[in-house]
Amino acid sequence: MPPSLLGQAVDHHPIVLPLKLGWTFQEVGGSRWYPAVVPGCVHTDLLENHLIDEPFNGANEQKLQWIDKTFWIYQTTFSVPRQLLARGIVDLVFEGLDTYATVFLNDVLLLRVDNMFRRWRVNCKQFLHEDGNVLRVQFSSPINKILPALRRDKYPLPAVTDRGEKTSPYTRKAPYQYGWDWAPRLVTCGIWKPVYLEAWDIVRIRDFHVQQTRLEPHLAQLQAEVELEATVDAEAELIVECQPGKMPQARKRIGIARGKNYAVLPMSILEPELWWPNGLGLQPLYEFQVKVEVHGRQMERSRVRTGLRTVELRRQTDPWGKSFELIVNGLPVFAKGANWVPPDSFPSRIPMDRYRRLLSSCRDTNMNLIRIWGGGIYECDEFYDLCDEMGLLIWQDFMFSCTLYPGDQAFLENVKQEAEDVLTRLRNHPCLALWCGNNEVETGWFDWGWKKKYPAQFWDNYQRLFYGILPASCTRLDPSRPYWPSSPSSNLEDAPNSGRVGDVHFWGVWHGDLPIEAFGQQIPRFLSEFGFQSFPPLETLRSFASPDELSIDSPSLIAHQKDLKGNQRILDYVLRYYPRPKDFESLVYLSQVLQAEAIKGGVEHLRGIMPRCMGTLFWQLNDCWPTVSWSSVDYWGRWKALQYYARRFYSNMLVSFREAQGQIEIVVAYDGKEVVSGTLSLRLLDFSGGSLWERHHELHLDSLQSQVIWSLNRRELLAGNDVRRVFLQAELRRADGRLVENRHFFENWKNLLLPQPNIQTRIVTEQDGPTIQLASDRFASNVYLSMEGLEGTFSDNYFDLLPGRPMEIRFVPSQRASRSEILRKLKVRSMVDAFSR
Ligand code: BMA
């Protein structure tokens, strides 16, 4: 290419013009345009314009079902700066369109799209003017688009979770919006991600990937993979640099040709600092920059931030079957975490601080792995950035859940493109640990009757997608990460939900009505789902129900319980373990305590059988609206009891109890990296603090060890003491001063003779906010602090208070509050307050 083509003083970096402003919308055929927000969606636009009632209030969801049967148009008018128009190519880019949309620019049809999860780019230069450009996006009803064919279909696909017509499997759109057993049915549409013009010349960087080929203690071998798009044939130079780190600049001369070009540059970093999951080390991040020069002039640059680590899914034959464990930097990691669902029914409006708060809630409770469940969305880039920073590994499902899918060529091609978009967007993130084909489709085929109901062709379709197209895309675009076909799965080596091979979902407790103790009888290799429902905090219930609706069978509480008869089930379970709560508020409290105890029992048991089991992910971390569900953190970010418990049961050192056949075992489990030592004390205490018996033991623990420290005969230990008035108190004091503790009761909680504690509170104001000092004269179970009408966070909650062991809890109010106001609003309750005396 002659240098003159470069245009002497012209800047060749691409120019980006966001198309965020001036949008309006209307129903197709409507007479009036209303202002719209882009990125956004039709439900939130209707709400902003006061055309519908708040979808999350009361039973409003029902009244809004017309929206998904309607066709909508979005439109904006814009001008384009002359220097942008002067560029050779002007691409119109949609980062996401939800879902069936036709795009017109100045009345010219530019795009027809059909997948919410793909990105779209089209050169529109020839249709652009300087002024008065009209961009119009027409959305078809995602329901009506499918219905005619569905009605003719001999084998409609199962879509067991769709409420209403079962159209979701045919549409590449977030499944949970069609209704789930914790989600309302709000099937929206719109321009849900940014849209912009990108003008460029000569060459553009399509993609920049830093691939880790070999990681050794003193040397990281990497390669920069750069994909370019060019409009000319030319000589180019690629330059890659890295900050911080000992890496010489990598340079490469290449000849580029019109169209797509691809280059690989080997790189190495001396003394690499490794990225570790939360709890196992730090998360150093490296920033790589690639520049493209043509004839000595910089055309474009692009950045990638990543961490250096290896990740592997180890599956080795062993006496119990086949292991299922994640290995990071050569170290087996016991996965501690929860399942993630989209934090809003309308994902276009999720603010960054909601992500930050939710993910901090994971990090601060010692989680190291989050599973992005396959019925939601692939999250935004910032989500994965935060996980990179916080050391939260991601188990990433592809978005397929609880149904079979079509097998026609067009559908498969669409999914293949989707996988490529997602893989290239996310593969630079060190947090990403595993790709997984789908949620519960394999178990659906074998265990839910689909195998009998559908011809074999449907299974072939399944295999083509989840054992063919998706793993092939992963191997091609992201070869260093493991792929797992489904959750749960045994990779077809056993039953999908086998305890010998692969991961397990266990729903015998809750859906199967088994007692919570059944969690303690499971022996999976990796438990990726198990859960128990509770009511959200009262303030959250009040955010959608009026004061006279605070009961399990009010219309609002029924509308906000998507698991049939779930509210009654919560009550029934509570009554199995506790005396009847005296009022609704007490039921809310007890439901949370029981949920926390149930999951705690499961996690303690599974950590106790490590390394046979190498992971527990409870269902579910969060909510997409204020609701009654299995979540540990509710829609508004408020922690339920379970989240406070999680910090204790996911702490890297854990002491727990196992009781069977008259013996009580005291088990210590440890999954930290360094060897630790400490002293374990065990006491038999009565509720007024008297010590009846005690024992001590010096401990030295290696990583990934679980050990039975004592096995005691229950009868000898109790020595005739009233089982309803005593408990075992275990305390593990580590050499570094940190303390972990746990308690064991000898009776069903229902039968305990809990005393009425007298809890003294005092508020002292310290530099970082008010501190609440608490002391009790007798054992106080599950002390719960709340502030009536004042939002804020407590450093701990739902904890036991022992006589002679005062506690200090910090409170950080969301708005300014005086000491006297805090004192006035503070409410302290414990278990006994839930029952009438
Ligand atoms: C699991 C999930 C979801 C569901 C949850 C609770 O199996 O995969 O389908 O919401 O159960 O029923």
Side-chain angles (χ1 to χ4, degrees):
M1 179 188 57
S4 61
L5 247 185
L6 286 170
Q8 285 312 309
V10 181
D11 179 359
H12 284 277
H13 287 101
I15 308 175
V16 172
L17 180 74
L19 299 176
K20 235 180 119 52
L21 302 177
W23 286 94
T24 55
F25 80 113
Q26 66 166 221
E27 190 179 331
V28 170
S31 52
R32 194 174 148 192
W33 292 91
Y34 293 91
V37 174
V38 168
C41 71
V42 68
H43 284 76
T44 46
D45 286 330
L46 289 165
L47 183 63
E48 281 294 307
N49 285 285
H50 309 287
L51 297 170
I52 57 170
D53 293 332
E54 165 56 52
F56 292 171
N57 272 358
N60 285 352
E61 171 199 355
Q62 276 324 313
K63 297 189 288 190
L64 306 180
Q65 295 306 312
W66 60 274
I67 300 171
D68 63 29
K69 322 278 181 310
T70 309
F71 292 64
W72 300 95
I73 314 184
Y74 278 72
Q75 187 166 298
T76 187
T77 307
F78 62 95
S79 306
V80 180
R82 196 167 300 164
Q83 76 267 30
L84 187 146
L85 263 189
R87 307 300 290 268
I89 299 218
V90 185
D91 285 333
L92 172 63
V93 183
F94 287 95
E95 302 248 318
L97 283 168
D98 176 12
T99 287
Y100 295 112
T102 326
V103 178
F104 297 88
L105 178 62
N106 298 327
D107 288 325
V108 178
L109 172 67
L110 277 190
L111 272 174
R112 238 182 241 289
V113 310
D114 57 359
N115 188 330
M116 172 184 185
F117 304 124
R118 283 174 61 186
R119 302 203 250 190
W120 312 95
R121 174 184 283 268
V122 56
N123 183 4
C124 64
K125 172 163 162 131
Q126 57 171 314
F127 312 115
L128 272 181
H129 320 302
E130 254 183 72
D131 290 310
N133 295 291
V134 179
L135 180 60
R136 197 169 81 233
V137 186
Q138 271 174 226
F139 292 95
S140 303
S141 149
I143 309 301
N144 292 344
K145 179 102 185 159
I146 302 299
L147 269 186
L150 181 63
R151 293 212 169 108
R152 288 193 305 270
D153 202 337
K154 200 165 148 216
Y155 291 104
L157 298 171
V160 290
T161 51
D162 276 36
R163 271 195 301 277
E165 309 275 7
K166 296 185 178 298
T167 64
S168 76
Y170 307 88
T171 300
R172 294 308 298 147
K173 173 167 170 60
Y176 77 111
Q177 294 184 342
Y178 293 79
W180 214 269
D181 58 6
W182 41 265
R185 181 182 168 92
L186 293 165
V187 189
T188 195
C189 70
I191 306 167
W192 77 295
K193 292 203 165 194
V195 45
Y196 50 90
L197 293 175
E198 186 177 351
W200 58 283
D201 280 311
I202 304 170
V203 65
R204 174 178 83 83
I205 299 171
R206 282 174 57 97
D207 186 61
F208 176 29
H209 176 214
V210 176
Q211 164 84 27
Q212 303 178 23
T213 41
R214 204 184 167 97
L215 198 52
E216 285 161 3
H218 302 292
L219 180 72
Q221 291 182 0
L222 316 165
Q223 58 187 33
E225 301 174 351
V226 189
E227 206 179 313
L228 303 169
E229 185 172 0
T231 56
V232 294
D233 298 342
E235 284 284 307
E237 177 143 35
L238 293 174
I239 304 146
V240 184
E241 286 164 344
C242 171
Q243 282 294 330
K246 298 178 191 145
M247 188 189 101
Q249 204 181 55
R251 282 180 169 265
K252 187 168 192 173
R253 280 198 157 275
I254 54 165
I256 51 173
R258 212 177 281 255
K260 274 194 217 169
N261 297 266
Y262 185 71
V264 174
L265 288 80
M267 311 183 286
S268 50
I269 296 185
L270 290 173
E271 308 298 333
E273 283 188 55
L274 299 191
W275 183 97
W276 287 98
N278 186 27
L280 292 172
L282 300 175
Q283 291 79 41
L285 296 169
Y286 289 84
E287 190 166 292
F288 293 83
Q289 177 171 245
V290 61
K291 289 184 268 190
V292 197
E293 289 180 2
V294 176
H295 292 288
R297 187 160 302 154
Q298 203 186 102
M299 294 285 121
E300 201 190 351
R301 57 170 176 234
S302 174
R303 287 203 173 90
V304 150
R305 192 183 67 164
T306 192
L308 304 177
R309 54 106 194 91
T310 58
V311 63
E312 175 197 341
L313 175 66
R314 186 174 290 166
R315 298 178 60 240
Q316 271 171 356
T317 306
D318 61 20
W320 307 297
K322 214 171 193 181
S323 64
F324 190 93
E325 56 183 353
L326 284 167
I327 313 286
V328 178
N329 299 329
L331 190 81
V333 175
F334 186 94
K336 301 181 286 192
N339 283 274
W340 172 277
V341 301
D344 206 302
S345 283
F346 310 118
S348 53
R349 71 167 179 191
I350 304 169
M352 262 342 282
D353 61 302
R354 192 179 307 162
Y355 280 116
R356 186 175 290 281
R357 201 165 152 192
L358 276 166
L359 292 170
S360 309
S361 297
C362 296
R363 178 201 51 202
D364 298 344
T365 50
N366 300 310
M367 296 187 187
N368 58 20
L369 188 138
I370 306 297
R371 171 175 173 239
I372 302 192
W373 163 81
I377 55 170
Y378 307 95
E379 281 297 346
C380 59
D381 297 345
E382 292 81 359
F383 170 94
Y384 301 92
D385 286 341
L386 287 169
C387 293
D388 290 345
E389 289 161 19
M390 296 186 191
L392 295 167
L393 294 169
I394 295 297
W395 167 315
Q396 177 73 54
D397 284 1
F398 284 97
M399 293 303 128
F400 300 91
S401 184
C402 295
T403 183
L404 293 169
Y405 289 89
D408 60 275
Q409 215 37 50
F411 185 85
L412 295 179
E413 187 50 39
N414 195 357
V415 167
K416 190 171 163 214
Q417 292 298 330
E418 166 188 327
E420 286 181 8
D421 279 5
V422 172
L423 281 155
T424 45
R425 179 166 73 89
L426 301 183
R427 61 187 171 172
N428 283 310
H429 290 279
C431 65
L432 207 70
L434 176 93
W435 294 104
C436 173
N438 66 68
N439 173 70
E440 295 187 348
V441 184
E442 216 155 289
T443 190
W445 178 262
F446 289 104
D447 305 330
W448 303 352
W450 302 349
K451 192 178 169 181
K452 280 208 191 88
K453 189 167 161 198
Y454 291 92
Q457 179 61 40
F458 287 77
W459 179 244
D460 295 345
N461 291 345
Y462 176 83
Q463 297 221 44
R464 198 167 321 144
L465 186 47
F466 299 106
Y467 286 84
I469 290 170
L470 291 180
S473 299
C474 290
T475 310
R476 192 161 49 83
L477 295 168
D478 195 19
S480 66
R481 266 190 199 88
Y483 171 85
W484 186 240
S486 180
S487 182
S489 172
S490 65
N491 195 37
L492 305 183
E493 294 159 34
D494 201 346
N497 225 355
S498 156
R500 295 178 50 256
V501 184
D503 66 322
V504 165
H505 292 188
F506 175 68
W507 283 101
V509 177
W510 189 261
H511 288 308
D513 264 330
L514 291 176
I516 62 171
E517 290 78 7
F519 283 140
Q521 284 140 22
Q522 305 311 305
I523 311 192
R525 307 312 307 260
F526 190 111
L527 192 58
S528 41
E529 273 191 22
F530 63 115
F532 198 90
Q533 278 207 2
S534 70
F535 292 106
L538 267 193
E539 309 86 86
T540 297
L541 291 165
R542 288 193 189 115
S543 76
F544 62 78
S546 54
D548 60 333
E549 282 198 300
L550 295 179
S551 61
I552 63 168
D553 48 8
S554 72
S556 287
L557 261 85
I558 289 173
H560 285 248
Q561 167 60 271
K562 299 301 184 190
D563 186 31
L564 212 63
K565 301 201 183 127
N567 291 344
Q568 184 62 42
R569 180 168 279 156
I570 294 180
L571 177 62
D572 292 346
Y573 263 115
V574 163
L575 294 178
R576 285 202 218 175
Y577 293 95
Y578 299 105
R580 182 167 283 278
K582 68 177 185 213
D583 51 21
F584 182 68
E585 186 177 351
S586 302
L587 173 62
V588 170
Y589 163 87
L590 286 174
S591 77
Q592 288 194 29
V593 173
L594 183 58
Q595 176 193 33
E597 290 287 348
I599 303 301
K600 169 179 185 271
V603 170
E604 288 180 348
H605 155 69
L606 294 167
R607 291 187 63 186
I609 59 166
M610 173 177 70
R612 180 165 178 176
C613 174
M614 280 303 283
T616 68
L617 308 177
F618 64 76
W619 182 268
Q620 69 202 74
L621 177 80
N622 59 327
D623 282 323
C624 70
W625 71 321
T627 190
V628 190
S629 80
W630 297 267
S631 69
S632 54
V633 180
D634 76 20
Y635 176 74
W636 300 111
R638 297 184 179 119
W639 286 20
K640 297 181 179 175
L642 173 55
Q643 194 66 16
Y644 293 100
Y645 269 54
R647 181 159 46 207
R648 296 169 215 147
F649 62 61
Y650 277 155
S651 138
N652 68 8
M653 199 180 241
L654 178 79
V655 51
S656 63
F657 305 86
R658 272 202 290 252
E659 187 171 341
Q661 281 127 28
Q663 288 293 117
I664 298 172
E665 290 180 343
I666 290 80
V667 186
V668 172
Y670 174 64
D671 63 354
K673 208 163 50 173
E674 281 84 34
V675 178
V676 289
S677 54
T679 314
L680 178 66
S681 317
L682 187 67
R683 294 188 179 82
L684 182 71
L685 299 179
D686 64 28
F687 287 145
S688 25
S691 179
L692 307 166
W693 174 98
E694 64 182 76
R695 210 176 249 200
H696 306 273
H697 180 80
E698 293 299 317
L699 275 178
H700 298 279
L701 287 169
D702 268 344
S703 182
L704 289 179
Q705 264 200 327
S706 65
Q707 261 181 39
V708 176
I709 307 297
W710 290 297
S711 180
L712 306 167
N713 181 278
R714 177 184 157 111
R715 195 137 49 90
E716 285 170 20
L717 176 66
L718 280 167
N721 284 293
D722 185 344
V723 289
R724 298 167 305 167
R725 295 175 198 274
V726 295
F727 61 99
L728 269 179
Q729 163 82 5
E731 287 175 20
L732 209 165
R733 173 78 62 187
R734 292 164 52 143
D736 62 11
R738 277 152 66 190
L739 178 77
V740 289
E741 57 181 324
N742 209 342
R743 275 167 278 288
H744 176 73
F745 298 92
F746 298 89
E747 262 293 326
N748 188 330
W749 299 304
K750 200 176 187 159
N751 301 327
L752 296 179
L753 296 175
L754 288 175
Q756 180 69 52
N758 183 6
I759 302 174
Q760 304 285 339
T761 52
R762 225 163 65 94
I763 301 203
V764 288
T765 319
E766 286 175 357
Q767 220 168 19
D768 52 351
T771 295
I772 304 158
Q773 299 180 331
L774 298 136
S776 178
D777 59 346
R778 297 192 184 87
F779 178 73
S781 169
N782 264 286
V783 176
Y784 172 49
L785 309 180
S786 58
M787 293 280 176
E788 293 281 304
L790 181 62
E791 284 288 332
T793 48
F794 291 97
S795 58
D796 200 3
N797 222 334
Y798 292 94
F799 49 84
D800 296 338
L801 261 184
L802 271 62
R805 285 263 307 269
M807 297 241 323
E808 291 203 342
I809 305 294
R810 255 172 310 108
F811 176 68
V812 184
S814 322
Q815 67 264 41
R816 277 184 74 85
S818 67
R819 195 164 151 251
S820 61
E821 190 184 353
I822 289 177
L823 197 54
R824 208 172 53 246
K825 292 187 164 161
L826 175 68
K827 200 169 148 193
V828 182
R829 58 184 295 166
S830 77
M831 179 70 75
V832 289
D833 300 317
F835 317 118
S836 351
R837 291 256 139 191

